[in-house]
Amino acid sequence: MKFIAEIDIMPLKALLDPQGKAVSQSMKNLHLPEISNVRIGKHISLEVEANSKQAAESKVDEACKKLLANQIMESYVFELVEQ
Amino acid sequence: MKFIAEIDIMPLKALLDPQGKAVSQSMKNLHLPEISNVRIGKHISLEVEANSKQAAESKVDEACKKLLANQIMESYVFELVEQ
């Protein structure tokens, strides 16, 4: 079975996010002062081939831990959809 | 009312995504050959203050068009949740 995983990787809440801070500031200059607390992370979509949803979940989790997310600075969540 | 917007900005399907290609290749080296077609984009979360969900949507859409997404190379989708 083929699954599509949609992964969000975000900087941890406790850490400063300088890119997000810069964008928050830019929003004011763009006459959008209603927008605040911008945080910027990564969105990754990928396909995974597995026998069950559970197996696919463990593969994606392994990929996140080994390569995609830096767990010291980032947290990740993902959703799997069968294709 | 305060809303939280979760925005996904991805490279257009028609375009090459060299970062995603490199990660797809790395998955093989990490003994995860089941994973393919990796595409990497941005995930942005922000707070927006507005009188209605519709007003908030138009603010976020404006922010995406003016600053967050490069519509020549990227597409964006977002979801709004009232806080």
Side-chain angles (χ1 to χ4, degrees):
Chain A
M1 286 153 39
K2 190 170 255 179
F3 297 87
I4 304 232
E6 299 285 342
I7 307 166
D8 287 334
I9 299 176
M10 297 298 286
L12 292 176
K13 287 250 156 66
L15 298 178
L16 275 179
D17 171 13
Q19 201 186 356
K21 276 268 180 302
V23 170
S24 297
Q25 191 55 44
S26 302
M27 288 298 174
K28 295 193 185 85
N29 305 333
L30 282 173
H31 308 295
L32 288 165
E34 302 87 353
I35 291 178
S36 61
N37 275 332
V38 182
R39 290 188 79 80
I40 300 185
K42 284 179 287 187
H43 183 82
I44 299 177
S45 73
L46 51 82
E47 286 176 26
V48 53
E49 186 70 50
N51 295 327
S52 67
K53 192 164 181 176
Q54 223 169 8
E57 260 172 27
S58 94
K59 288 285 169 202
V60 175
D61 202 58
E62 194 183 341
C64 286
K65 289 208 170 100
K66 277 192 180 168
L67 182 63
L68 301 174
N70 170 358
Q71 287 193 283
I72 297 171
M73 296 170 61
E74 296 167 326
S75 64
Y76 64 90
V77 286
F78 62 87
E79 272 178 26
L80 278 175
V81 183
E82 196 180 336
Q83 207 182 13
Chain B
M1 285 153 40
K2 190 171 257 180
F3 297 86
I4 303 234
E6 300 284 342
I7 308 166
D8 287 333
I9 299 175
M10 298 297 286
L12 292 176
K13 286 249 156 64
L15 297 179
L16 275 179
D17 172 14
Q19 202 186 355
K21 277 268 179 302
V23 170
S24 298
Q25 191 54 45
S26 302
M27 289 298 175
K28 294 192 185 87
N29 305 334
L30 283 173
H31 310 294
L32 288 165
E34 302 87 352
I35 291 177
S36 60
N37 274 333
V38 182
R39 291 188 79 82
I40 300 185
K42 284 179 287 188
H43 183 83
I44 300 177
S45 73
L46 51 81
E47 287 176 24
V48 54
E49 185 70 47
N51 294 327
S52 67
K53 193 164 181 175
Q54 222 169 9
E57 261 172 29
S58 94
K59 287 286 170 201
V60 174
D61 201 61
E62 193 182 342
C64 286
K65 291 210 169 99
K66 277 192 180 168
L67 182 62
L68 302 174
N70 170 357
Q71 287 194 283
I72 297 169
M73 297 170 61
E74 296 167 326
S75 65
Y76 63 90
V77 287
F78 62 86
E79 271 178 26
L80 278 175
V81 183
E82 197 179 334
Q83 209 183 17

